[in-house]
Amino acid sequence: MVFLAFAPSLTFDFINYDDPYYIIDNPNVNTGLSLANLRWAFGTPGEVNLWNPLTTLSHQLVVSLFGLNPAWHHAVNGLCHALAASLLFLLAVKLTKSLPWSYFIALLWAIHPQKIQSVAWITERKDVLSGALFFASILCFAEWHSRTKKRPALYVASLLLFIAAAMAKPSVLPLPLVLLVLFALKPGQIISSALSSLRQLGPFFAAAVALAAIVVFFQSHGTLSDVGGDDSLFERLRQMIFGYVFYLLRFAFPIPSQFFFTPPLSHLPLVLAIVGLGLFLIAVIWLGRREKLIPVGALIYTLLWLPISGIIPISHYFAADRYSYLPQIGIIIIVIGLARRLSSLSSKSLLLPIALGSLVAGYLVLLQQQLPIWKNSETLFAHEMRVNPREALADIHYGEAFWNNDPAKALVHFELAHQKAPHEGLPLSKMGVTQLRLNQPEQALESFQAATRAANPVVETWTQLLLLQVDLKRYSEAEATVNDGLQRFPNQWPMLMNAGNFHLLVKKDPHQALPLFLKAHEISPSNADSIRACARCYLILGDQPSAARFERLLQLR
């Protein structure tokens, strides 16, 4: 069913949002599997502040086997999602002892339109891979837990699968709490049953704490480590409330297909969200007295929502369909609880099977309608501009789709993005790059300079401006750009490297260049460019032992 539903995605292309960072333009991935790439996968968050080495490893493996043919990358995503749905079915059978309910749970989860981003977007391999490992871990634990004679191999397999799932995507870290809810907590004995389960679940919690520490470390050192850093406590709480209610509503009404979501700024939507959240909790408590699946589903939804709640900011956007990949299970369990409650009231009625079948059929139709939107960057962002006309990023990525073939058309959309978001530096930066392609260096210079003065600049702008100023032989202006960039981004690897290259290649001053290269090497110890730059500087300065030390580091890669 999953392969049939998502078969059109095999003809889809890469998307110019994140696919270049993760795969296409990433030299540590697009060269396939190697020892150096393996070390890079486990030792750096790359261009983003997310640590998911197992997912990166899977991308490297597919590149080694099939190159950059997008069909195979899409096929692996589909395979992982089909495997995840199948494991969810087996797990549901074990927990509910009912084939019909289990089939409905797995099928509704697998073909819900919110799964499109996770399956049809190659970058979101982390969702489907971690999901399959997540269900496999719980299934092994359920099998171990149900047996009178415990088999240590099942317990160890569950623990290792959990660790692997977290290395595919850290959002699975609440899994020990899910195990606690499913297998340990007893009504009326919540505290005592939780304490008695610590011996069984202790290794899972210890692994979760250790993995969380690694994730936080890499997130604090990634390129996007400052995401959400300026948000106030009120802003975070507001986004958390919106996010919690958002996924409940989006499950019921997954239309239109939309890529970017930003929280409303007025107070009325916040008041409505708080009221809605209150009514939801009251309904869960009231109905939960009659059907235990309802509070269990609400607990699982809440636990799996926590990593994407905004407590620790992971994106510029407060919510996305792809974030619901695992939390949606809790919502489906609530739906099943409601359906079971209704069936107990009237077991002979055909109304409930017809309603459930219609729900699945309706979501399957929506899936087929929305899936073609993801065919390529042009179709995706053309649709996004229609349904989300105020979002500047839609124009930016739509413009990027025409960079090579029609730069004049691309420039129009970058200018539109600038009009929509005049405080952002990215549209101005894109305008500058496109103006250079159109042989308009003076206009590009103005765009880059304006981008450096934007309220939310991007570090790449200083590199672009620096290169243009050097090309135009405006060396004093270039030096001012270097100093300004270092002051604003003192710990950004690209800024340090470009500043070092300016001092070394333009000013012919290795003494000023060396400290910048050394700092860049300290930030990214495995990067060959900074290692090579340090070796070159030491060689020019006549420090042969230090140059040889960095040459050895280069060979070890």
Side-chain angles (χ1 to χ4, degrees):
M1 287 295 293
V2 170
F3 274 120
L4 286 173
F6 288 95
S9 67
L10 296 178
T11 65
F12 292 179
D13 204 346
F14 288 103
I15 299 298
N16 63 17
Y17 189 94
D18 279 1
D19 280 355
Y21 290 122
Y22 278 94
I23 307 161
I24 307 170
D25 298 333
N26 187 339
N28 299 106
V29 175
N30 62 24
T31 53
L33 276 175
S34 69
L35 187 59
N37 287 349
L38 184 66
R39 285 198 298 264
W40 178 88
F42 282 86
T44 176
E47 292 291 332
V48 292
N49 58 326
L50 297 176
W51 185 72
N52 37 38
L54 201 61
T55 300
T56 303
L57 191 63
S58 77
H59 288 307
Q60 294 170 347
L61 177 60
V62 177
V63 170
S64 288
L65 293 174
F66 308 111
L68 291 175
N69 182 342
W72 288 103
H73 292 263
H74 282 295
V76 172
N77 274 29
L79 174 64
C80 289
H81 184 54
L83 178 60
S86 302
L87 290 167
L88 173 59
F89 171 72
L90 294 176
L91 178 60
V93 169
K94 191 152 193 71
L95 294 177
T96 66
K97 312 298 181 185
S98 167
L99 284 173
W101 285 123
S102 300
Y103 187 75
F104 175 74
I105 290 171
L107 184 60
L108 179 58
W109 178 82
I111 56 87
H112 193 278
Q114 281 189 291
K115 297 297 180 294
I116 291 176
Q117 284 189 14
S118 297
V119 181
W121 187 12
I122 294 171
T123 284
E124 286 307 302
R125 171 80 50 77
K126 50 185 177 283
D127 283 346
V128 293
L129 180 57
S130 65
L133 294 167
F134 175 88
F135 293 128
S137 174
I138 299 178
L139 185 60
C140 285
F141 189 90
E143 185 68 23
W144 172 82
H145 188 267
S146 65
R147 295 192 179 188
T148 304
K149 186 177 180 180
K150 307 295 185 186
R151 291 183 59 188
L154 285 170
Y155 183 89
V156 173
S158 176
L159 180 60
L160 292 177
L161 285 165
F162 164 53
I163 294 171
M167 292 168 67
K169 188 176 184 180
S171 60
V172 303
L173 287 176
L175 182 142
L177 294 171
V178 174
L179 295 179
L180 184 69
V181 171
L182 291 177
F183 302 104
L185 290 186
K186 297 178 181 178
Q189 307 174 35
I190 292 178
I191 296 178
S192 59
S193 60
L195 291 175
S196 64
S197 69
L198 289 180
R199 182 179 177 184
Q200 291 182 350
L201 296 177
F204 285 86
F205 282 106
V209 171
L211 288 163
I214 295 172
V215 169
V216 171
F217 169 79
F218 279 107
Q219 184 170 357
S220 65
H221 288 76
T223 306
L224 301 180
S225 58
D226 59 343
V227 168
D230 298 329
D231 291 346
S232 65
L233 179 60
F234 173 76
E235 287 174 327
R236 290 196 184 187
L237 288 173
R238 182 170 63 88
Q239 291 189 17
M240 289 173 66
I241 293 170
F242 278 129
Y244 193 92
V245 175
F246 170 87
Y247 295 109
L248 295 171
L249 293 174
R250 189 75 177 159
F251 171 79
F253 306 104
I255 48 177
S257 177
Q258 191 167 327
F259 195 47
F260 303 112
F261 290 95
T262 52
L265 298 177
S266 61
H267 293 300
L268 180 59
L270 178 61
V271 172
L272 293 175
I274 293 172
V275 171
L277 179 58
L279 292 174
F280 171 74
L281 294 177
I282 291 170
V284 166
I285 294 170
W286 182 65
L287 293 170
R289 294 180 299 175
R290 297 169 177 81
E291 174 54 64
K292 67 177 183 178
L293 277 183
I294 293 174
V296 167
L299 265 176
I300 290 176
Y301 167 62
T302 303
L303 292 173
L304 293 176
W305 162 81
L306 284 173
I308 51 107
S309 65
I311 294 176
I312 299 177
I314 56 173
S315 172
H316 295 289
Y317 296 90
F318 85 109
D321 281 350
R322 58 192 178 276
Y323 298 165
S324 71
Y325 192 79
L326 289 179
Q328 193 184 79
I329 299 159
I331 301 175
I332 292 175
I333 292 174
I334 295 173
V335 173
I336 296 300
L338 289 170
R340 283 194 5 169
R341 176 61 184 160
L342 291 172
S343 67
S344 68
L345 297 176
S346 179
S347 58
K348 295 182 179 180
S349 172
L350 291 175
L351 184 60
L352 184 61
I354 292 173
L356 293 178
S358 300
L359 180 64
V360 171
Y363 283 148
L364 191 56
V365 169
L366 279 178
L367 177 79
Q368 295 307 307
Q369 289 178 343
Q370 296 179 7
L371 189 59
I373 293 168
W374 283 81
K375 184 174 180 61
N376 53 47
S377 302
E378 183 179 346
T379 56
L380 174 63
F381 294 109
H383 171 80
E384 188 70 14
M385 288 189 297
R386 286 193 296 271
V387 301
N388 195 8
R390 299 170 67 180
E391 177 54 59
L393 273 179
D395 281 283
I396 289 176
H397 289 283
Y398 185 76
E400 285 183 343
F402 297 96
W403 242 355
N404 294 324
N405 299 327
D406 194 348
K409 184 175 181 178
L411 181 59
V412 169
H413 285 279
F414 296 147
E415 290 170 342
L416 286 172
H418 173 55
Q419 293 172 16
K420 294 177 182 179
H423 56 287
E424 296 290 341
L426 184 59
L428 286 163
S429 181
K430 298 290 184 183
M431 286 169 55
V433 173
T434 311
Q435 285 160 341
L436 282 179
R437 293 190 177 193
L438 293 170
N439 197 25
Q440 301 171 1
E442 293 299 327
Q443 291 90 328
L445 194 64
E446 292 178 9
S447 296
F448 290 142
Q449 289 171 338
T452 63
R453 297 190 296 269
N456 296 318
V458 290
V459 65
E460 293 86 356
T461 304
W462 274 260
T463 298
Q464 294 157 344
L465 178 58
L466 173 63
L467 292 174
L468 180 55
Q469 288 169 333
V470 169
D471 189 51
L472 296 174
K473 296 183 171 50
R474 301 185 181 186
Y475 299 126
S476 59
E477 294 178 18
E479 187 168 5
T481 298
V482 166
N483 294 333
D484 181 51
L486 288 174
Q487 185 175 0
R488 293 198 187 201
F489 307 100
N491 297 311
Q492 288 285 344
W493 186 91
M495 191 68 245
L496 291 165
M497 287 297 295
N498 284 295
N501 282 321
F502 173 76
H503 286 294
L504 180 65
L505 302 176
V506 178
K507 296 194 69 180
K508 310 297 182 184
D509 189 349
H511 292 281
Q512 280 191 287
L514 181 59
L516 297 168
F517 290 141
L518 288 172
K519 189 172 182 180
H521 172 64
E522 182 183 347
I523 291 172
S524 183
S526 62
N527 190 285
D529 291 334
S530 52
I531 295 173
R532 193 176 292 109
C534 290
R536 184 178 183 183
C537 261
Y538 276 123
L539 194 62
I540 294 171
L541 292 170
D543 188 343
Q544 296 290 344
S546 296
R549 177 165 56 88
F550 278 93
E551 289 290 347
R552 284 194 297 273
L553 286 176
L554 202 58
Q555 292 170 2
L556 289 174
R557 293 188 78 260

